[in-house]
């Protein structure tokens, strides 16, 4: 079953990279993507490329990560597979910020990701991107804008819901209201 194997390799590689085993994780991700490409499969390819780009971010290989994001965005535009596009723009901003010196481009990517997440009704992506945009604004002296954005975004989630993203957003919001 090559497709499930390829998918498993990609997620195993992503998890390994996030756990600090960047080289091993990247190797598994690339192996999974290679199987995926040999099969000629195009669905879920933007997600796989995004996972590999995340490993490049962790390995401080920002230019390679940006190339992977650009490739994933092109494939998503060609195929119409848009569900992962907000995360791709979010990751593009993270890569630009990590590389340094591209604050305007990073903000533009965050705004695009936020707009797309909202248009899709993808509230989880919206919250992640809004929190990143709020942190970006806070770093650039726009505390009130950051607070307003994050308060409006997080308030649409049920109070009893607890997720790592919501907890991080609430923690940031608490810092912004001090």
């Amino acid at each position: 079953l090559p497709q499930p194997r390829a998918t498993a390799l990609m997620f195993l590689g992503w998890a390994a990279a996030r756990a600090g085993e960047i080289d091993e994780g990247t190797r598994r991700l690339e192996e999974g993507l290679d199987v995926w490409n040999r099969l000629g499969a195009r669905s879920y390819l933007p997600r796989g490329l995004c996972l590999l780009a995340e490993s490049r971010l962790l390995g401080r290989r920002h230019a390679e990560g940006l190339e992977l994001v650009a490739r994933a965005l092109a494939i998503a535009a060609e195929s119409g597979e848009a569900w992962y596009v907000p995360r791709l723009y979010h990751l593009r901003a993270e890569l630009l910020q990590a590389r340094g010196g591209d604050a305007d481009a990073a903000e533009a990517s965050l705004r695009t990701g936020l707009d797309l997440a909202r248009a899709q009704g993808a509230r989880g992506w919206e919250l992640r991107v809004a929190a990143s945009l709020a942190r970006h604004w806070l770093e650039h002296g726009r505390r009130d804008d950051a607070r307003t954005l994050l308060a409006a975004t997080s308030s649409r989630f049920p109070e009893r819901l607890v997720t790592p993203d919501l907890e991080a957003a609430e923690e940031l919001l608490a810092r912004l209201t001090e």
Side-chain angles (χ1 to χ4, degrees):
L1 301 172
Q3 281 182 320
R5 180 178 181 275
T7 302
L9 282 168
M10 285 186 272
F11 279 110
L12 180 62
W14 174 78
R18 291 197 44 110
E21 299 173 26
I22 297 168
D23 292 336
E24 175 65 16
T26 299
R27 186 187 65 72
R28 289 183 185 268
L29 269 158
E30 289 171 340
E31 184 181 349
L33 281 166
D34 184 54
V35 171
W36 205 254
N37 283 321
R38 280 187 280 136
L39 292 169
R42 301 290 283 174
S43 63
Y44 301 114
L45 189 53
R47 178 185 59 183
L49 291 169
C50 183
L51 297 177
L52 184 56
E54 284 184 40
S55 76
R56 296 295 195 249
L57 174 64
L58 293 169
R60 296 187 175 114
R61 295 167 63 181
H62 307 129
E64 291 175 34
L66 288 166
E67 289 173 15
L68 289 163
V69 168
R71 183 172 160 213
L73 286 168
I75 292 168
E78 174 187 304
S79 68
E81 185 179 331
W83 68 280
Y84 224 71
V85 172
R87 173 60 185 137
L88 287 166
Y89 277 100
H90 183 217
L91 180 57
R92 181 177 184 274
E94 290 176 316
L95 286 158
L96 289 168
Q97 289 168 330
R99 188 173 70 174
D102 289 328
D104 291 339
E107 182 174 338
S109 286
L110 289 169
R111 286 177 176 269
T112 300
L114 185 62
D115 291 343
L116 291 169
R118 286 176 174 162
Q120 292 177 1
R123 290 176 41 200
W125 291 136
E126 181 184 356
L127 180 65
R128 280 188 185 186
V129 177
S132 290
L133 184 55
R135 280 189 292 278
H136 176 81
W137 283 345
L138 180 60
E139 291 170 10
H140 291 87
R142 296 178 57 188
R143 184 183 198 91
D144 291 340
D145 292 335
R147 181 177 46 248
T148 300
L149 171 65
L150 202 50
T153 304
S154 62
S155 70
R156 294 200 322 269
F157 287 84
E159 285 185 32
R160 66 187 180 283
L161 183 64
V162 178
T163 70
D165 288 335
L166 271 172
E167 288 177 333
E170 291 297 329
E171 183 179 304
L172 177 56
L173 190 56
R175 281 190 8 232
L176 290 168
T177 54
E178 292 176 346

